Amino acid sequence: MARVAQAVDDTELHAGCRRLTGKVLACADEEAPFGFRHLMRFPAAAHSPVPHRAVNTAGMLEGAAGVALSLLPVGDGPLPWDRTLGLT
């Protein structure tokens, strides 16, 4: 969403980015070692009232590093994801 908001300079999209950022930051867990926990679905728990488990991972795609990358500001240059994944 940030990429599109930047490209078209749309005030509603920029406001949506700020709201989404707030929602993501509200999910931060001060007790998690990396600040965010990843909810993983376990097939054995499919019929359980809680089919997901919160795990601590610092991974780029499913962990706290990915959350941090998604929260970095958008500037005139390539987005953090683009640089990190070698897309630029």
Side-chain angles (χ1 to χ4, degrees):
M1 185 157 80
R3 182 187 304 256
V4 175
Q6 178 79 7
V8 299
D9 197 26
D10 185 291
T11 56
E12 288 186 44
L13 285 175
H14 284 293
C17 287
R18 288 188 296 275
R19 283 192 306 274
L20 185 56
T21 297
K23 288 182 180 190
V24 170
L25 290 174
C27 293
D29 183 349
E30 292 182 16
E31 295 181 11
F34 305 115
F36 292 90
R37 297 186 194 272
H38 173 62
L39 292 178
M40 290 188 68
R41 185 176 185 94
F42 287 87
H47 300 291
S48 166
V50 182
H52 296 86
R53 293 185 192 161
V55 295
N56 298 311
T57 180
M60 185 172 65
L61 295 178
E62 298 176 331
V67 174
L69 279 171
S70 70
L71 293 173
L72 289 174
V74 177
D76 290 334
L79 292 176
W81 276 108
D82 292 349
R83 287 191 302 266
T84 304
L85 297 173
L87 300 175
T88 59

